[in-house]
Amino acid sequence: MERLKQLYALTDFCLSSPISTLVCHDFWMLIAEVAIGICLLGVAICIKVYISHELEFRRNKKLVDHRKLLADPETMQKNTWKGLDLVTEEHSQEQLAQQFRAALKPDQEKQGT
């Protein structure tokens, strides 16, 4: 408790006196070191966030490039699910069921062979 009172007295004295006071040199050096440390910590956090975002961007770009290599747009169009394209308001449930079965039949034949 006594130490805190001394620190408060030193802080009060140094804040009210000119910065060139010899007794306050260590106090101002400590304040400057703490401020620089906080700034460096902020810079380190910003660099870490930037690097992680850059790595994620490159990873996603690589995935997109690999997807482009896997199949051309015609093949991708052929192999996409078209179940929702069959649904219109004009069809009854039985007609929808028949259309779904007809659309899924080639897929079931591929799995069976």
Side-chain angles (χ1 to χ4, degrees):
M1 190 67 169
E2 185 66 30
R3 183 81 171 139
L4 289 176
K5 287 181 183 177
Q6 290 175 352
L7 182 63
Y8 178 74
L10 178 66
T11 304
D12 187 39
F13 174 75
C14 289
L15 291 176
S16 62
S17 62
I19 198 168
S20 62
T21 307
L22 190 59
V23 176
C24 299
H25 179 71
D26 290 338
F27 172 78
W28 289 115
M29 286 301 293
L30 179 66
I31 295 296
E33 290 170 357
V34 168
I36 290 171
I38 290 172
C39 289
L40 289 176
L41 181 65
V43 168
I45 290 172
C46 289
I47 289 172
K48 180 188 176 290
V49 168
Y50 173 77
I51 289 173
S52 66
H53 283 255
E54 185 68 24
L55 289 174
E56 182 179 357
F57 174 76
R58 289 183 184 184
R59 183 174 50 245
N60 289 339
K61 185 177 179 187
K62 188 184 283 187
L63 286 173
V64 169
D65 291 341
H66 284 300
R67 284 187 192 139
K68 288 179 184 176
L69 293 176
L70 287 178
D72 57 305
E74 182 180 313
T75 307
M76 291 301 290
Q77 183 67 26
K78 178 182 167 189
N79 291 319
T80 53
W81 185 64
K82 297 177 182 64
L84 294 177
D85 296 340
L86 301 173
V87 178
T88 60
E89 297 176 13
E90 302 168 359
H91 298 291
S92 67
Q93 291 294 323
E94 293 80 20
Q95 291 172 334
L96 283 175
Q98 289 174 355
Q99 288 180 348
F100 276 119
R101 284 188 209 105
L104 293 175
K105 197 169 195 174
D107 292 337
Q108 291 172 353
E109 290 174 359
K110 287 180 189 175
Q111 291 175 358
T113 57

